[in-house]
Amino acid sequence: MKRIAVIAHGLSGGGAERVAALVANYFAQNNYDVLFVACYNNKREYVLDERIKYVFLKTKSENGTLCMIERSFLLKKQVKNFKADAAFSFITNELIPLVLSRIPVIPSLRMDPKYIEKYYLRKKIRLFVYHHAKNIIFQTEDARDYFDSSIRKKGVVIGNPIKDNLPYWKEEGHRKVFVTACRISKQKNIPMLINSFSEFHKTHSDYKLEIYGDGEPESYKQEMEDYCKKIKADSFIHFMGHTSEIHSIMSGCEAFFLTSDCEGLSNSMLEALAIGIPSVCTDCPPGGAKIYMKDGAGILIDVGDEKALTKAMCSIAESEQLRKELSEKEKYVRQVLQKDAVCRKWEELIRE
């Protein structure tokens, strides 16, 4: 087997897109012919190996449903013309024609499966695709076990690969800044982070909070900025936008926070752990944080618990020893999720 298709939203900066790019590059570097299909966005932030064939599916229809149908058949045509031996997909809605072909398709779920329940059509499409797929890649056991036994037996749990050459946290000389990096959307519960930090700031006025990432939608980011102004927190809570230097920035801050209500498996959380910056995350479904933040590798708090978050902020700010202990225990993630080791698990699925 030598020809692999990787299907994704695009290469524009999302966590799933980052993993898609890493997987595609791994296969190209291991002598596979690789097709990368960008289905929604033609912006290219992540870099692909020059040997990879890149295709963007440009549709003509403006109607959402018709556009999805058109994209589905364009996708099937591209993958079949490439003569792919197998296809890994980070999207699901457009896969029905492809899974009904003779090409083995392996979709990957990158969100909390309960989120699917909100959308009847998307739920039905996903179940159909999963029942016809060769395997399904899940990020956590909880996500896999959400489905019935016929899907679970096809399920394979694989964590996200960590980027090579991440910096290490500066135990000494870091800024008195707490940091988060994420899509600024309702799912991330940014108001919880703002409220807790505002309470923390009353007794730790020399600290600042920096929030990195773009809004989804962009208007929500503006809504959060307006909220900070409303509660008079805009002088010490800053929205920094997107940056390609986030890992260097994280290594020079005092602690990382993620307050999501649900999360497939946060790349920024995994990268924070690998860097060794003291980290605090919510124990949100489907269980990604609790898998990797265990035995003192970071601090887990309940979803929505602002008081626990404020307490964790105070504990980290007031204890050099705690910061050091968290950092030392977190860095194991760097070995567990080493890029090539994780990508080999994807390769094993097609070698079978």
Side-chain angles (χ1 to χ4, degrees), residues 25-44:
N25 286 337
Y26 170 84
F27 279 106
Q29 291 157 10
N30 284 273
N31 301 316
Y32 287 82
D33 294 328
V34 181
L35 167 70
F36 190 100
V37 185
C39 293
Y40 290 89
N41 194 319
N42 199 27
K43 181 180 177 183
R44 300 180 65 173

Side-chain angles (χ1 to χ4, degrees), residues 138-246:
F138 296 101
Q139 296 172 298
T140 70
E141 288 83 358
D142 287 357
R144 178 198 60 198
D145 295 344
Y146 177 84
F147 296 93
D148 63 38
S149 59
S150 63
I151 291 176
R152 287 200 302 271
K153 68 182 181 181
K154 296 182 180 183
V156 180
V157 177
I158 304 177
N160 292 355
I162 294 291
K163 180 181 177 182
D164 290 334
N165 303 317
L166 287 173
Y168 284 98
W169 179 62
K170 299 173 184 176
E171 183 181 332
E172 297 180 0
H174 59 259
R175 297 184 296 150
K176 287 190 174 183
V177 171
F178 290 166
V179 63
T180 191
C182 62
R183 287 177 294 104
I184 301 173
S185 63
K186 289 186 178 180
Q187 168 199 347
K188 305 297 182 177
N189 200 348
I190 300 298
M192 174 184 173
L193 181 60
I194 292 171
N195 293 339
S196 292
F197 188 82
S198 297
E199 186 64 27
F200 162 82
H201 193 262
K202 292 177 182 179
T203 54
H204 300 79
S205 60
D206 52 342
Y207 279 77
K208 296 185 184 300
L209 171 65
E210 293 181 354
I211 299 173
Y212 288 85
D214 294 327
E216 194 176 284
E218 184 60 33
S219 60
Y220 188 72
K221 178 172 176 280
Q222 185 60 54
E223 185 180 329
M224 292 297 96
E225 292 186 64
D226 292 342
Y227 177 63
C228 281
K229 292 177 182 178
K230 180 180 177 181
I231 65 173
K232 296 181 171 55
D234 55 311
S235 63
F236 51 85
I237 297 178
H238 305 296
F239 288 81
M240 311 299 290
H242 176 75
T243 175
S244 60
E245 302 299 320
I246 187 59

Side-chain angles (χ1 to χ4, degrees), residues 72-176:
S72 299
F73 287 98
L74 286 174
L75 174 61
K76 178 186 175 182
K77 180 179 179 181
Q78 287 290 342
V79 176
K80 285 187 72 68
N81 286 349
F82 183 70
K83 298 181 180 179
D85 297 303
F88 291 104
S89 182
F90 291 76
I91 65 166
T92 308
N93 291 342
E94 288 80 5
L95 290 183
I96 288 180
L98 189 58
V99 297
L100 292 177
S101 72
R102 293 185 177 183
I103 299 171
V105 179
I106 303 174
S108 178
L109 180 63
R110 318 306 291 183
M111 64 179 73
D112 179 2
K114 290 183 180 178
Y115 182 81
I116 306 164
E117 299 292 334
K118 300 179 182 179
Y119 306 96
Y120 179 81
L121 179 59
R122 288 173 61 180
K123 174 186 175 182
K124 292 299 182 183
I125 290 173
R126 189 174 299 274
L127 291 175
F128 181 89
V129 167
Y130 284 5
H131 281 295
H132 287 79
K134 178 182 181 292
N135 292 104
I136 307 102
I137 296 174
F138 296 101
Q139 296 172 298
T140 70
E141 288 83 358
D142 287 357
R144 178 198 60 198
D145 295 344
Y146 177 84
F147 296 93
D148 63 38
S149 59
S150 63
I151 291 176
R152 287 200 302 271
K153 68 182 181 181
K154 296 182 180 183
V156 180
V157 177
I158 304 177
N160 292 355
I162 294 291
K163 180 181 177 182
D164 290 334
N165 303 317
L166 287 173
Y168 284 98
W169 179 62
K170 299 173 184 176
E171 183 181 332
E172 297 180 0
H174 59 259
R175 297 184 296 150
K176 287 190 174 183

